[in-house]
Amino acid sequence: MPELPEVEALAGFLREHAVGAVIGRIDIAALSVLKTFDPPLTELQGKDVTDAARFGKHLALRAGDLWLITHLSRGGWLRWVDNPSAAPPKPGKGPLALRIHFFTPEGATPAIDLTEAGTKKRLAVWVVRDPQQVASIARLGPDALTVTELEFAEILGSTTARLKTSLVDQSLLAGIGNAYSDEILHVAKLSPFASSSKLDPESVATLYAAMRSVLSDAVARSAGQDAARLKGEKRSGMRVHARTGLPCPVCGDPVREVAYVDRSFQYCATCQTAGKILADRRMSRLLK
């Protein structure tokens, strides 16, 4: 799933390539992707693109008095297409969900494709006059890159949830997902299962510094990358996430995993849990 650094980079890419263009035809290839009907999608046609922005893990394109907002969810992505097909795509064929055609000041006619891999279709698109009209944006907590250390401490103190859960709860803190929460906790040398409200002030400060450094470094690595390269850049920078069984880059011990029904997370027992192996729900069921 694209998280804060990738969505920030995509917003920067669109500011560089789409701002100043005029929106042309919009093709819907997956009817389920559009979550609003007023204003209609067609009202975007003919409007100048004036900005691109990020709200948590939502990507937004501003055109006149309207915003086109998307949440790429787990399997979604954005592709820039220099020479899109003139023929409208056939609904239900392939990963394409929505295509937006542009007319640039230079006379080019590129497009952006919103695509989604897999069978679970969760990619969402809204057309609104105010981003706060999107319920999932209205519920966002402070952004993970702008929250102060004091606000961060207050957020953690307000919940009894485990640290892993608190970091990915968008109503508490916006922008962090499964991958970067693994990385942040590894850098901070804290257990994913530690209680958020029971952290001492020193651990809170350590976690805040780790969050800032991990996200800032990822944003810096992603900046200037074209959309096609961002996924690879994200994977290459990971220390523990999606590296089950590989050596921890700090201590050399194998990275371990906790698996759930449809997701998993990774950690280093030596660095984060004083050697304790966390209960793996998948293995626990097998051993019963």
Side-chain angles (χ1 to χ4, degrees), residues 4 153 245 252:
L4 185 158

Side-chain angles (χ1 to χ4, degrees), residues 215-275:
L215 294 179
S216 297
D217 289 350
V219 168
R221 290 197 312 271
S222 300
Q225 299 279 357
D226 61 53
R229 297 176 184 269
L230 283 172
K231 288 184 180 181
E233 181 60 43
K234 179 178 181 178
R235 286 192 294 268
S236 68
M238 292 295 162
R239 298 163 175 251
V240 293
H241 181 74
R243 291 176 56 84
T244 303
L246 296 175
C248 166
V250 175
C251 70
D253 284 353
V255 172
R256 299 184 182 274
E257 177 178 277
V258 174
Y260 296 91
V261 175
D262 61 348
R263 61 187 175 88
S264 63
F265 70 81
Q266 289 75 40
Y267 69 101
C268 172
T270 301
C271 291
Q272 296 175 249
T273 62

Side-chain angles (χ1 to χ4, degrees), residues 185-208:
L185 289 167
H186 180 257
V187 171
K189 297 185 176 180
L190 291 170
S191 170
F193 283 177
S195 175
S196 300
S197 61
K198 293 181 179 179
L199 283 191
D200 59 66
E202 183 179 354
S203 296
V204 172
T206 299
L207 183 59
Y208 179 77

Side-chain angles (χ1 to χ4, degrees), residues 10 32 62 85 97 103 135 139 151 165 170 186 217 247 255 267:
L10 288 174
S32 62
R62 187 170 192 172
S85 171
F103 300 100
R139 290 194 299 266
E151 290 171 331
T165 302
Q170 300 301 294
H186 180 257
D217 289 350
V255 172
Y267 69 101

